[in-house]
Amino acid sequence: MKKLTPRYVLENYNFTLLVFVVLTMIVGIFAVGIAKENLQSRQIIGVVCATILMIVVSFIDYHLFTKFYWIIYIVNFILLALVLSGLGDDAGGAQRWLDIGIRFQPSELAKILLIFFFSQFIMVNRERLNSFKIIIASVILIGGPLLLVLMQPDLSTSIIITILFATMLFVGGLSIKIVLGFLAVFIPTAVILFSIVIQPDQTLIKSYQQMRILAWLHPEEYADKEAFQQINSKIAIGSGQLLGKGIAGTEIQSIQNGSFISQPQTDFIFAVIGEQWGFIGACAVIILLGIVSLQCYITARKTKDLSGRIIAAAVGSMICFQSFVNISVTTGLLPNTGLPLPFISYGLTSLFSVALSIGVVLNVHLQSGRASSSGELRFDIE
């Protein structure tokens, strides 16, 4: 019996994106090994598994993900809700992990699942996207997961999700008039809220979150406590100078051999890179991440399918903005937020999540190549 099977043309595969993602993950292996040598073997296994996952997903039609977008939304909501239940695992004053035989962070996965959901939701409602009804429905739908993430509490991931939501609406065709109107309200509101949260008696955010902001504003006053890590991070990056101290550095006054930054393998991994590989190494990492983001945007521009365009643009924005925030924290440009550096920081949930998202972007590119070469999807008949 004959059946239709999709035929992918290998020349349409985005090998540039794949290669630069793998190179970035290899950098992460070495950086994690410098920060915590005993974790390097686990990071290697994670990178191998993440690469396999990325390649396998890249040959799975991404419409299979978006087809079940309501199921994806419900599963995501349940996982986030379970974090706040008895199954949630508390660490460092925040309840962000879920232990159901395996320990993972649902908020990291939530960013990817919400991209899948809204890519299809916006496409289905693209003709009515600028209507009051759809805008309110979209806000309500993002509001539920966003509130659950905020309650963990995880303010940094909440900000990333909000930015991704705005990006997807804009790419989906939201009117520029609505965007400008939103900015006209959002910017002064953000300024007012910021002025409130730095007041001693504020109740909008947790006390430790306020301390991070105050430590960022007045690092000299919090040098022995909240600002300790950021100050030492800047010193470490500066001490690397042009070429860095090298992987085999023996200086006691270093992240590698001292205890000046707690958990340097995660949120402050860029400080390790700056210290050990210097300005050139740090710039190389920024260029790698920039190329990965750019390739996602190129895919978004190339594809004619709206859901694919939204996925590629949102994944590119996620990697770009999260990298910017992480590096800004380590260099003192932003308050300490607790966001990992994509592909590089230690953490298997983050690694697998971004690998999954890149795999889908690779498939979007593969299908856009097929569509552009013949005007429609091509099939082999067996």
Side-chain angles (χ1 to χ4, degrees):
M1 183 177 179
K2 294 182 178 181
K3 61 179 181 179
L4 294 178
T5 57
R7 184 179 74 181
Y8 294 120
V9 180
L10 196 59
E11 67 183 20
N12 292 327
Y13 199 88
N14 192 345
F15 287 103
T16 301
L17 177 57
L18 177 64
V19 169
F20 277 96
V21 167
V22 173
L23 285 175
T24 308
M25 289 193 292
I26 291 173
V27 169
I29 290 174
F30 286 105
V32 169
I34 295 170
K36 294 282 185 180
E37 187 176 358
N38 62 316
L39 295 177
Q40 189 175 45
S41 58
R42 189 174 182 185
Q43 186 74 0
I44 292 173
I45 295 173
V47 166
V48 171
C49 293
T51 302
I52 294 172
L53 172 66
M54 179 172 58
I55 293 173
V56 170
V57 171
S58 71
F59 289 102
I60 299 175
D61 187 349
Y62 68 93
H63 295 100
L64 292 176
F65 294 98
T66 58
K67 180 180 180 181
F68 301 101
Y69 67 110
W70 280 111
I71 295 176
I72 288 174
Y73 181 85
I74 293 170
V75 169
N76 179 55
F77 194 92
I78 291 173
L79 289 174
L80 291 174
L82 287 174
V83 173
L84 302 175
S85 70
L87 294 175
D89 190 6
D90 186 284
Q95 194 164 323
R96 302 176 185 174
W97 291 265
L98 190 62
D99 194 343
I100 51 176
I102 57 172
R103 188 174 183 269
F104 67 102
Q105 192 172 345
S107 60
E108 282 294 322
L109 186 60
K111 291 180 288 189
I112 311 304
L113 296 182
L114 286 172
I115 288 174
F116 293 159
F117 171 76
F118 277 104
S119 68
Q120 185 68 10
F121 178 82
I122 292 172
M123 191 183 75
V124 170
N125 296 283
R126 60 187 178 278
E127 301 297 332
R128 302 179 296 156
L129 184 61
N130 291 294
S131 68
F132 180 78
K133 180 180 179 181
I134 296 301
I135 291 175
I136 293 300
S138 300
V139 171
I140 292 173
L141 286 168
I142 195 66
L146 197 60
L147 180 61
L148 291 174
V149 174
L150 276 170
M151 290 172 64
Q152 293 181 3
D154 193 346
L155 181 60
S156 55
T157 301
S158 302
I159 294 173
I160 294 292
I161 290 174
T162 302
I163 291 173
L164 291 178
F165 175 64
T167 300
M168 289 185 287
L169 286 178
F170 180 75
V171 174
L174 189 66
S175 170
I176 191 65
K177 294 180 179 179
I178 298 177
V179 174
L180 293 176
F182 170 78
L183 291 176
V185 175
F186 173 78
I187 293 175
T189 301
V191 173
I192 293 171
L193 289 175
F194 183 80
S195 64
I196 292 175
V197 298
I198 61 176
Q199 300 302 316
D201 56 346
Q202 68 84 32
T203 56
L204 290 178
I205 59 176
K206 300 289 185 180
S207 59
Y208 80 89
Q209 294 172 329
Q210 184 193 42
M211 287 298 102
R212 287 181 175 182
I213 295 175
L214 293 175
W216 171 64
L217 293 172
H218 311 287
E220 66 284 349
E221 297 179 18
Y222 298 86
D224 296 329
K225 294 182 180 179
E226 285 79 9
F228 182 77
Q229 291 206 103
Q230 276 192 303
I231 290 174
N232 286 334
S233 173
K234 291 186 287 184
I235 293 173
I237 293 172
S239 70
Q241 299 185 44
L242 183 63
L243 299 176
K245 298 176 181 178
I247 296 176
T250 58
E251 296 183 38
I252 299 299
Q253 295 83 5
S254 69
I255 295 176
Q256 181 184 7
N257 300 306
S259 300
F260 302 102
I261 295 178
S262 62
Q263 305 300 316
Q265 74 277 12
T266 53
D267 304 338
F268 284 87
I269 194 71
F270 190 76
V272 176
I273 293 169
E275 180 186 59
Q276 300 301 319
W277 298 331
F279 179 77
I280 292 178
C283 286
V285 168
I286 293 173
I287 291 171
L288 284 173
L289 290 166
I291 291 174
V292 171
S293 297
L294 180 61
Q295 285 298 315
C296 291
Y297 291 134
I298 290 173
T299 297
R301 184 178 178 83
K302 184 177 181 181
T303 184
K304 294 179 174 63
D305 178 59
L306 181 58
S307 64
R309 186 182 306 127
I310 292 171
I311 289 173
V315 171
S317 297
M318 178 185 70
I319 295 169
C320 180
F321 189 78
Q322 191 164 316
S323 299
F324 171 77
V325 172
N326 178 277
I327 294 172
S328 295
V329 168
T330 59
T331 54
L333 295 177
L334 290 175
N336 194 351
T337 59
L339 277 176
L341 189 60
F343 306 110
I344 296 177
S345 291
Y346 176 78
L348 299 186
T349 305
S350 174
L351 187 60
F352 289 164
S353 295
V354 291
L356 171 64
S357 66
I358 292 296
V360 177
V361 172
L362 286 169
N363 186 260
V364 172
H365 190 280
L366 194 56
Q367 296 214 38
S368 65
R370 293 187 325 183
S372 62
S373 62
S374 63
E376 59 183 6
L377 298 182
R378 300 186 303 176
F379 297 89
D380 281 335
I381 299 179
E382 296 180 352

